[in-house]
Amino acid sequence: MKSPAYWAVLFGMAIALIQRGLPVRSQGDTQSDNTVMENITVRQGETVFLSCSQGDVVTHTAWLNRSSILYAGEDKWSVDPRVSLVTLNRDEFTIKIDNIDVSDEGLYVCAVQTSSKPRTTSVHIIVQVPPKIFNFSKTMVVNEGFNVTLMCLANGKPEPAISWKMLSHKANDDFESVDEYFEIPSISRNKAGLYECTAANDIAIDRKTVNVVVNFPPTVFESRDVGVTLGHSGVLRCEADAVPEADFEWFRDDRRIFNGFDGIEIENMGSMSKLTFHNVSEADYGNYTCVAINKLGSANTSIVLYEVIEPTSSTLLQEMTTSVLEQTSTERNQLREGPGAVQDGNSGTAEAYKPICLFLIAALQLLLKF
Ligand SMILES: *[C@@H]1O[C@H](CO)[C@@H](O)[C@H](O)[C@H]1NC(C)=O
Ligand SMILES: *[C@@H]1O[C@H](CO)[C@@H](O)[C@H](O)[C@H]1NC(C)=O
Ligand SMILES: *[C@@H]1O[C@H](CO)[C@@H](O)[C@H](O)[C@H]1NC(C)=O
Ligand SMILES: *[C@@H]1O[C@H](CO)[C@@H](O)[C@H](O)[C@H]1NC(C)=O
Ligand SMILES: *[C@@H]1O[C@H](CO)[C@@H](O)[C@H](O)[C@H]1NC(C)=O
Ligand SMILES: *[C@@H]1O[C@H](CO)[C@@H](O)[C@H](O)[C@H]1NC(C)=O
Ligand SMILES: *[C@@H]1O[C@H](CO)[C@@H](O)[C@H](O)[C@H]1NC(C)=O
């Protein structure tokens, strides 16, 4: 009496021969009946059922993975715990593979030995894997002008397609790429921001974003001179564009000014610094310089705090005067900004008389109305 294992080994060897198509098939004396089933496409991690039909006179039956037997009848040959028997009866022989992986991809054969002829049913398992970005650039901090290379390595089955795009719309739209490595030569500040890599295949999409920080030295915005009436409050504003954000220093001529010094308050709010005089005195009028500094450099701008003559009389007149004075100060600024303009408005006598003249004209017009 031979053990079932013995038969199974013999049977397995026979099956292996059938699979290779020799010498059994080449001899042509055994009419084997081979069925090829449609491919089974599954996702990694899913369970696959493999089923083949049986028959009345089946003597041996087996499911094979390539040339190794998974099940010979109800005997499990595979040591893989994911493989198990579902049904074995006169009609069908079904096994299942849990938690399928890429290495399980391939041809599976059900070999049935009847009294007359062997019969095989083969099926191809195709395993799909959703894309996964496994190596991606970390947040990048570079100085303006550097060559930046962003990296997005992804796997998946089918092989995912990579695409890049810039999420912040600061730059032009020529920032699309389909390479795993995305090059930004000589990066400029307007190319700073979030970049997104997308890895896509037939079954899913994976996305990751990386922030690219571009450092650059401060540039200060041109500031207007400020006119304040004696005893009133006045504010000098200085704004700078810089990464990392600038620190501010204020100077009166060559002397550094600190917060709380002589009733002056300095407030820094991000990209802006504010110098506040709560009660402007004669001595406060003058030339102030704001210096914006970061590790890459500095920039400065000068603002003149000049005196504005205090208006008097009725509210109506005061309102008119204010508007006239505003106009005058605008003109003064335009003059100063113009080519070859006088540097300090307070030095010209004609300039000093102008607001008074305009004030008189306005008052005259008002009187003529009555
Ligand atoms: C099944 O998959 C195999 C291997 O990928 C392929 O060669 C064959 O053409 C596929 N058959 C069908 C019917 O899709
Ligand atoms: C099928 O065979 C391949 C190659 O030997 C192996 O890596 C895989 O784990 C096997 N799968 C099953 C379900 O037996
Ligand atoms: C990611 O890529 C970098 C650069 O090519 C390499 O040094 C690193 O080992 C990779 N990390 C992983 C997890 O593959
Ligand atoms: C950036 O790349 C260009 C051309 O590839 C090269 O000439 C230049 O030296 C690089 N700049 C830096 C800062 O590496
Ligand atoms: C502003 O300062 C002047 C001179 O020091 C003082 O007379 C005046 O009361 C102050 N005004 C306010 C509102 O503090
Ligand atoms: C203010 O001071 C700065 C720096 O000292 C100087 O460059 C600028 O000409 C001065 N402006 C005026 C109006 O005097
Ligand atoms: C202001 O900037 C000019 C050049 O733009 C520089 O020569 C000067 O030294 C700067 N002043 C300060 C106080 O930093």
Side-chain angles (χ1 to χ4, degrees):
M1 186 68 191
K2 302 276 197 260
S3 72
Y6 170 84
W7 287 113
V9 171
L10 277 188
F11 181 62
M13 285 164 73
I15 293 300
L17 289 175
I18 290 167
Q19 256 196 290
R20 290 179 199 133
L22 50 92
V24 181
R25 196 178 286 180
S26 60
Q27 281 167 0
D29 54 2
T30 315
Q31 305 123 328
S32 55
D33 181 5
N34 299 327
T35 313
V36 179
M37 297 206 296
E38 264 187 27
N39 288 346
I40 300 178
T41 302
V42 284
R43 289 193 192 184
Q44 186 181 42
E46 286 181 348
T47 295
V48 174
F49 290 87
L50 298 174
S51 188
C52 66
S53 61
Q54 301 294 293
D56 282 347
V57 284
V58 169
T59 54
H60 291 100
T61 183
W63 264 111
L64 294 92
N65 168 12
R66 272 146 260 201
S67 56
S68 56
I69 296 173
L70 299 176
Y71 266 90
E74 58 189 8
D75 293 328
K76 184 175 175 183
W77 281 50
S78 169
V79 292
D80 195 328
R82 299 172 303 137
V83 180
S84 57
L85 181 63
V86 179
T87 313
L88 176 57
N89 57 31
R90 274 166 53 170
D91 299 323
E92 59 164 310
F93 179 23
T94 304
I95 63 166
K96 66 168 182 164
I97 307 165
D98 288 319
N99 192 19
I100 202 117
D101 208 345
V102 179
S103 60
D104 297 324
E105 188 167 287
L107 192 68
Y108 289 75
V109 176
C110 172
V112 177
Q113 181 71 56
T114 66
S115 52
S116 55
K117 57 180 179 181
R119 174 156 53 82
T120 65
T121 304
S122 49
V123 58
H124 209 106
I125 295 181
I126 293 167
V127 183
Q128 291 189 326
V129 183
K132 175 123 188 72
I133 297 170
F134 64 90
N135 199 345
F136 192 61
S137 292
K138 306 265 186 305
T139 294
M140 208 166 266
V141 181
V142 293
N143 293 347
E144 204 166 31
F146 270 55
N147 297 332
V148 170
T149 302
L150 301 177
M151 175 185 60
C152 179
L153 304 182
N155 53 24
K157 260 180 100 271
E159 187 79 36
I162 303 291
S163 64
W164 282 96
K165 82 173 180 213
M166 191 184 182
L167 293 184
S168 338
H169 293 290
K170 277 186 274 178
N172 302 327
D173 47 13
D174 55 286
F175 285 93
E176 304 267 343
S177 168
V178 291
D179 203 0
E180 287 175 324
Y181 294 93
F182 182 28
E183 315 259 348
I184 313 169
S186 187
I187 196 164
S188 60
R189 62 193 72 179
N190 66 344
K191 289 177 194 165
L194 287 177
Y195 287 81
E196 182 187 65
C197 169
T198 304
N201 67 11
D202 297 347
I203 55 171
I205 289 175
D206 193 18
R207 285 194 175 90
K208 276 197 157 60
T209 57
V210 60
N211 191 19
V212 178
V213 178
V214 179
N215 289 334
F216 58 90
T219 50
V220 286
F221 296 103
E222 273 308 308
S223 30
R224 289 201 147 187
D225 293 344
V226 175
V228 177
T229 305
L230 205 62
H232 283 82
S233 65
V235 180
L236 306 186
R237 284 187 180 79
C238 176
E239 201 176 349
D241 201 7
V243 175
E245 217 157 57
D247 291 323
F248 292 91
E249 288 177 5
W250 286 92
F251 294 86
R252 164 83 189 265
D253 303 318
D254 287 335
R255 217 174 71 242
R256 174 98 188 257
I257 303 165
F258 294 95
N259 187 29
F261 187 83
D262 274 352
I264 294 172
E265 189 189 347
I266 298 173
E267 275 177 282
N268 295 330
M269 298 159 294
S271 64
M272 160 94 86
S273 182
K274 249 170 67 176
L275 181 77
T276 306
F277 302 88
H278 290 293
N279 179 1
V280 171
S281 71
E282 197 71 57
D284 289 332
Y285 295 121
N287 184 3
Y288 292 83
T289 301
C290 159
V291 184
I293 308 157
N294 76 3
K295 61 182 179 184
L296 294 186
S298 70
N300 64 66
T301 184
S302 291
I303 307 169
V304 173
L305 181 71
Y306 62 88
E307 183 169 7
V308 170
I309 308 302
E310 185 175 20
T312 46
S313 284
S314 77
T315 26
L316 183 62
L317 276 173
Q318 204 171 339
E319 263 174 40
M320 286 196 66
T321 314
T322 311
S323 75
V324 169
L325 280 174
E326 264 167 19
Q327 199 186 327
T328 316
S329 105
T330 313
E331 278 168 20
R332 198 204 316 252
N333 277 317
Q334 280 163 352
L335 261 178
R336 192 169 285 134
E337 278 155 23
V342 184
Q343 273 295 307
D344 189 348
N346 289 337
S347 61
T349 30
E351 275 284 357
Y353 282 125
K354 208 167 177 185
I356 299 162
C357 292
L358 284 164
F359 173 73
L360 287 175
I361 293 162
L364 205 65
Q365 279 174 344
L366 192 73
L367 285 171
L368 285 172
K369 284 206 173 136
F370 293 101

